Amino acid sequence: MTHTPIRIAVLGCTGSIGCQTLDVIEQLPGRFAVQSLAAGRNTKLLAEQITKFRPRYVYGEARSPDADAAATAVGAVWTSMEDMALADDVDVVLVGTAGAAGLMPTLKALEIGRPVAIANKEVLVMAGHLVRRAMLAGGGELRPVDSEHSAIWQCLWGEEQHEIRRILLTASGGAFRDFDEGQLAAVTPEQALNHPTWKMGAKITVDSASLMNKGMETIEAIWLFGVPMERVEVVLHRESIVHSLVEFSDGSVKAQLGVPDMRLPIQCALAYPERMPTPPSPVLNLGAIGTLHFGEPDLGRFPCLRLAMESGERGGTYPAVMAAADEVAVLRFIEGKIGFLDIPVIIEATLEKHDGTADPNLETVIAADEWAREKAEALIAGRAS
Amino acid sequence: MTHTPIRIAVLGCTGSIGCQTLDVIEQLPGRFAVQSLAAGRNTKLLAEQITKFRPRYVYGEARSPDADAAATAVGAVWTSMEDMALADDVDVVLVGTAGAAGLMPTLKALEIGRPVAIANKEVLVMAGHLVRRAMLAGGGELRPVDSEHSAIWQCLWGEEQHEIRRILLTASGGAFRDFDEGQLAAVTPEQALNHPTWKMGAKITVDSASLMNKGMETIEAIWLFGVPMERVEVVLHRESIVHSLVEFSDGSVKAQLGVPDMRLPIQCALAYPERMPTPPSPVLNLGAIGTLHFGEPDLGRFPCLRLAMESGERGGTYPAVMAAADEVAVLRFIEGKIGFLDIPVIIEATLEKHDGTADPNLETVIAADEWAREKAEALIAGRAS
């Protein structure tokens, strides 16, 4: 059987999600075409990817002679990420960029009714209301790439949104799930950067340990699935086998499970509505795993989760302020300037100072983000002095 | 919001599934109408149900003056179960009868493209190939009522049948899951009739303890979901919270969970594709449950599971022979005539003597059933002498 390849724009191609996306595409010959590659500053890797995947469109936040030569050799055209999102010959836009750079391509693709496979946390946390509005207006589709949100999405196939009673986001509990407050206060950056299950960047690893990452995922969930925060709960599940669950109005609960491998949700988002077999696809052996544990998160020991969920419930500019304050605080924690338990203190103090705006436009969100960074830095400086 | 009531024919209305079905209907006023009530020999309960639910059509294997009077009082007409299945003013046929009596109404309803909510194990075990053929020919729909099959069905909503890699049927493991062979040989009927989670009849409780019930469920699964036996596996799960799972071609696994309450899958089958809220709907609290256990069944200690799966794989008249021999052996076990571990011995010996027919018609299936009963009785008598 021959298939028409699904044409993918890979934004953030040199990052972790981008590389795993290209890995998935390589494992399924003939099923996908890499139409666009957009990178940040890693021009060396971009050049290699251009040569290997022969895209039609390329973008680099930085350019280099070897990336230019590679593009010329395969006949690729340099363009912007927005134009990649809008190009006629693209079927799915994968947004794997970090930070605000992913927002405009996401909005543009959704506005013209194009599916977006979204792995960018910041876009949904800061501007989820704008993303959802673009999706509803344009008829585009958000396909989550994150394992938890992919699980929820898969559980919702064939279901009705208004029949969702609860979304149950699972959390491994982070590196310090069994620490008491005294131990948490003494956590070093080295300890925080050692995540038990997933290999990730420094910022997200600290956010996992503080449960801020899970808190941000609750905010992503309300925009991805159109439910209020009161219908979202976090369940501790240390094995990271059950990736999340959905409870419906009749009391029935669906869960999606799998071995922890990001390539699974990535493939799911690219191939939807088809499920493609993968050559190395790992098999879940529940009998061998034996036991799955579940518990309730301790919001006392992990206030970042509470702060995120409260910000999500308040909406407006609060999630952006919360995320910006967290980014500053985590950076200073990694530098050894503040303690692990100072992270939520800084975030909460920043939120308290914020005079929020309801239904902000993009400029207002960005202004709130900038305000929060300055405020958080000032609060940290104030503590240090 | 007003709804048009969904009109239900309840076949087997005085049995366990029938009574719980009427309970579900009563809990959701205005959503369902009891169009038909078909009972076995419990005329007293039938008379009460007729008075309460005011059906248009009634049937009783036995008749009584009070049932007749009740029917006359509400203007109900006595008819056959087949005519109930075929009546123009019925939307869903619930088949909760035990034994072969459910087969003809099931086939008739499916042949005219009508949904059948099926709780009758024997129909699918003995004549699953005929049921599936009627369904595919008539465009009718099989909606499983059993909690395990309902779980699989729900996991398949929005999915493609050809993308099923494995069906994982969960099994509580029965009352003797931790017994060694010596303990199993000494099991008394009283011990066997004490099931840890579900309250059921004597035959099915013994079948649960021997894992024959789970074996029959594997056969039901191949006909309900159109997969070969090699794609069906049994997973031990003592908590009966995960009701079953499906693994897809991309390695993703979906599960359906819930508190053990038969009214949930019954409601799901009646209300499909809607999920209706139930007033007493029980909430699954995973955090409070804490731990879910999984394991592999021991086919050495529980040979009934192996015998059932092998019969299902051979097909033809073998499942009917296996089920008939089991029924005889379980009855004689309950009477104290043979030991618990003699049950699989009798079944296996009966199967070995059987000269199977491929793709049997109904008469051939019934003849094989009768042959197997006689053969099993003879084998038991031969052992006793």
Side-chain angles (χ1 to χ4, degrees), chain A residues 154 250 252-253 257 264 290 294, chain B residues 154 250 252-253 257 264 290 294:
Chain A
Q154 291 178 56
D250 61 0
S252 182
V253 175
L257 300 78
L264 257 168
F294 299 91
Chain B
Q154 291 178 56
D250 61 359
S252 182
V253 175
L257 299 79
L264 257 168
F294 300 91

Side-chain angles (χ1 to χ4, degrees), chain B residues 126-346:
Chain B
M126 292 176 64
H129 62 297
L130 301 177
V131 173
R132 187 158 186 88
R133 198 172 297 157
M135 180 186 81
L136 295 176
E141 184 178 62
L142 279 170
R143 302 180 186 170
V145 161
D146 195 23
S147 62
E148 289 84 351
H149 298 111
S150 177
I152 296 161
W153 181 50
Q154 291 178 56
C155 288
L156 291 175
W157 294 0
E159 302 281 356
E160 296 289 332
Q161 189 195 35
H162 69 270
E163 289 170 352
I164 302 172
R165 193 157 73 187
R166 285 190 300 167
I167 282 178
L168 301 165
L169 265 173
T170 53
S172 74
F176 313 129
R177 56 191 170 211
D178 301 321
F179 281 29
D180 64 27
E181 267 191 67
Q183 289 171 302
L184 286 173
V187 157
T188 64
E190 292 69 35
Q191 285 176 288
L193 294 178
N194 190 14
H195 188 274
T197 309
W198 305 93
K199 286 283 154 228
M200 303 170 296
K203 160 72 164 57
I204 194 171
T205 302
V206 175
D207 280 343
S208 290
S210 70
L211 295 197
M212 173 52 86
N213 185 54
K214 199 54 54 179
M216 292 195 189
E217 287 176 8
T218 66
I219 300 174
E220 292 175 82
I222 67 176
W223 298 118
L224 284 168
F225 308 113
V227 295
M229 186 59 90
E230 66 193 38
R231 291 183 182 263
V232 180
E233 285 180 32
V234 173
V235 178
L236 287 186
H237 169 51
R238 59 181 62 210
E239 290 87 4
S240 296
I241 294 295
V242 176
H243 295 315
S244 279
L245 312 92
V246 179
E247 181 185 88
F248 297 96
S249 51
D250 61 359
S252 182
V253 175
K254 273 190 194 171
Q256 190 268 340
L257 299 79
V259 291
D261 185 335
M262 277 307 293
R263 291 173 301 176
L264 257 168
I266 290 170
Q267 179 180 314
C268 202
L270 298 185
Y272 180 80
E274 199 179 336
R275 290 188 180 274
M276 296 181 187
T278 36
S281 96
V283 170
L284 180 69
N285 187 338
L286 273 182
I289 290 166
T291 311
L292 299 177
H293 295 91
F294 300 91
E296 284 158 22
D298 181 346
L299 297 182
R301 281 188 303 136
F302 296 99
C304 282
L305 176 57
R306 173 180 58 79
L307 291 170
M309 294 183 82
E310 285 172 2
S311 302
E313 199 159 4
R314 294 176 84 174
T317 45
Y318 286 98
V321 166
M322 185 272 309
D326 176 64
E327 197 169 320
V328 168
V330 168
L331 184 64
R332 298 306 167 217
F333 164 70
I334 292 173
E335 293 170 353
K337 299 223 171 92
I338 61 172
F340 186 70
L341 286 187
D342 293 331
I343 297 171
V345 173
I346 297 296

Side-chain angles (χ1 to χ4, degrees), chain A residues 4-312:
Chain A
T4 308
I6 301 169
R7 297 162 300 181
I8 314 289
V10 184
L11 312 190
C13 58
T14 58
S16 165
I17 295 293
C19 289
Q20 290 181 84
T21 299
L22 294 174
D23 189 28
V24 165
I25 291 173
E26 205 180 346
Q27 297 287 349
L28 289 159
R31 303 308 304 273
F32 298 105
V34 177
Q35 206 74 349
S36 317
L37 286 173
R41 309 196 68 79
N42 189 344
T43 53
K44 184 165 177 297
L45 182 53
L46 175 62
E48 289 168 19
Q49 291 175 340
I50 291 170
T51 302
K52 185 167 186 178
F53 292 99
R54 309 180 68 84
R56 290 198 58 178
Y57 308 106
V58 289
Y59 169 81
E61 195 185 327
R63 295 275 285 266
S64 71
D66 56 342
D68 280 348
T72 304
V74 303
V77 179
W78 292 89
T79 182
S80 70
M81 288 202 283
E82 284 176 49
D83 285 340
M84 286 178 175
L86 290 168
D88 278 343
D89 50 359
V90 162
D91 299 310
V92 179
V93 180
L94 178 117
V95 180
T97 52
L103 181 59
M104 287 316 291
T106 299
L107 294 177
K108 293 290 179 197
L110 292 172
E111 279 165 5
I112 60 163
R114 180 160 293 170
V116 175
I118 189 152
N120 177 307
K121 211 168 278 281
E122 291 87 349
V123 161
L124 283 169
V125 171
M126 293 176 62
H129 62 297
L130 300 177
V131 173
R132 188 161 184 86
R133 197 171 296 157
M135 181 185 80
L136 295 175
E141 186 179 59
L142 279 170
R143 303 179 185 170
V145 160
D146 196 23
S147 63
E148 288 85 351
H149 298 110
S150 176
I152 295 160
W153 182 50
Q154 291 178 56
C155 288
L156 291 174
W157 295 0
E159 302 281 355
E160 295 290 332
Q161 189 194 35
H162 69 270
E163 290 170 353
I164 301 171
R165 193 157 74 188
R166 285 190 298 167
I167 282 177
L168 301 166
L169 265 174
T170 54
S172 74
F176 313 129
R177 57 193 169 209
D178 302 321
F179 280 30
D180 64 26
E181 268 194 66
Q183 289 172 301
L184 286 173
V187 158
T188 64
E190 292 68 34
Q191 286 175 288
L193 295 178
N194 190 13
H195 187 274
T197 308
W198 304 94
K199 287 282 155 231
M200 302 171 296
K203 160 73 164 57
I204 193 171
T205 302
V206 175
D207 280 343
S208 289
S210 71
L211 294 196
M212 173 52 87
N213 185 53
K214 200 55 53 179
M216 291 196 190
E217 286 176 8
T218 67
I219 300 174
E220 293 175 80
I222 67 176
W223 298 118
L224 283 168
F225 307 114
V227 296
M229 187 59 90
E230 67 194 38
R231 291 184 182 263
V232 180
E233 286 181 29
V234 173
V235 178
L236 286 186
H237 169 52
R238 59 181 64 208
E239 290 88 3
S240 296
I241 294 295
V242 176
H243 295 315
S244 278
L245 312 91
V246 179
E247 181 185 87
F248 298 96
S249 51
D250 61 0
S252 182
V253 175
K254 273 190 195 170
Q256 191 267 340
L257 300 78
V259 291
D261 185 334
M262 278 306 294
R263 290 173 302 176
L264 257 168
I266 290 171
Q267 179 180 313
C268 202
L270 298 185
Y272 180 80
E274 197 179 337
R275 290 188 181 274
M276 295 181 188
T278 35
S281 94
V283 170
L284 180 69
N285 187 338
L286 273 182
I289 290 165
T291 311
L292 298 177
H293 295 90
F294 299 91
E296 281 157 24
D298 181 347
L299 296 182
R301 281 189 301 136
F302 296 98
C304 283
L305 176 57
R306 173 181 58 78
L307 291 169
M309 293 182 83
E310 284 172 4
S311 301

